[in-house]
Amino acid sequence: MRSKTDRTLRRILVDVLGLARDQVEHFDDETGLFGHLPELDSMAVAGLLTEMEDRLDIVIEDDEIDGELLETYGSLLAFAEAKCRED
C-alpha cells in the first residue's frame, strides 16, 4: 500500500514531466531520475519542486536541494515524506 505522499509524488511526476502513468507506477526506490529521465532537465526541476510545495503543502529551502535529492525516486520520496512529517 502506497502512502498518500507516494501517490501524490507519482501524480506530480506524470503531470509536470508528461511521463506515462504506467511508467511512473513502476518506479521503485532505485529508479534513476535526474540524468536518467530526459524529461527531467534543469528547467523541469524548478517546476517539479514548485508542484511538490503546492500539492504537498511543504516549503523546500534552496539549501535542501542537491544532486542526491533527485538521484532516485526513493531519495525524492524520502525527502518529501520527511518534509511532510515536519508540519
Side-chain angles (χ1 to χ4, degrees), residues 34 45 49 60-72 75-76 79:
F34 194 76
V45 168
L49 297 176
I60 302 172
E61 302 295 337
D62 290 343
D63 64 351
E64 295 177 304
I65 303 166
D66 60 23
E68 290 180 15
L69 172 66
L70 295 165
E71 189 173 334
T72 64
S75 61
L76 185 61
F79 172 80

Side-chain angles (χ1 to χ4, degrees), residues 2 5-6 13-14 18 20 23-24 28 31 33 36 38 54 60-61 68-69 77 79 87:
R2 291 190 175 134
T5 303
D6 187 1
L13 289 170
V14 169
Q23 177 186 6
V24 175
D28 61 24
T31 300
L33 295 180
H36 298 274
D54 290 347
I60 302 172
E61 302 295 337
E68 290 180 15
L69 172 66
L77 177 60
F79 172 80
D87 293 339

Side-chain angles (χ1 to χ4, degrees), residues 4-47:
K4 179 181 178 187
T5 303
D6 187 1
R7 292 189 308 272
T8 302
L9 186 56
R10 289 174 192 273
R11 282 194 302 273
I12 292 169
L13 289 170
V14 169
D15 294 346
V16 171
L17 302 181
L19 299 173
R21 189 172 304 277
D22 289 348
Q23 177 186 6
V24 175
E25 285 300 315
H26 288 96
F27 282 6
D28 61 24
D29 286 349
E30 300 302 316
T31 300
L33 295 180
F34 194 76
H36 298 274
L37 296 174
E39 298 87 353
L40 185 58
D41 59 17
S42 56
M43 294 298 291
V45 168

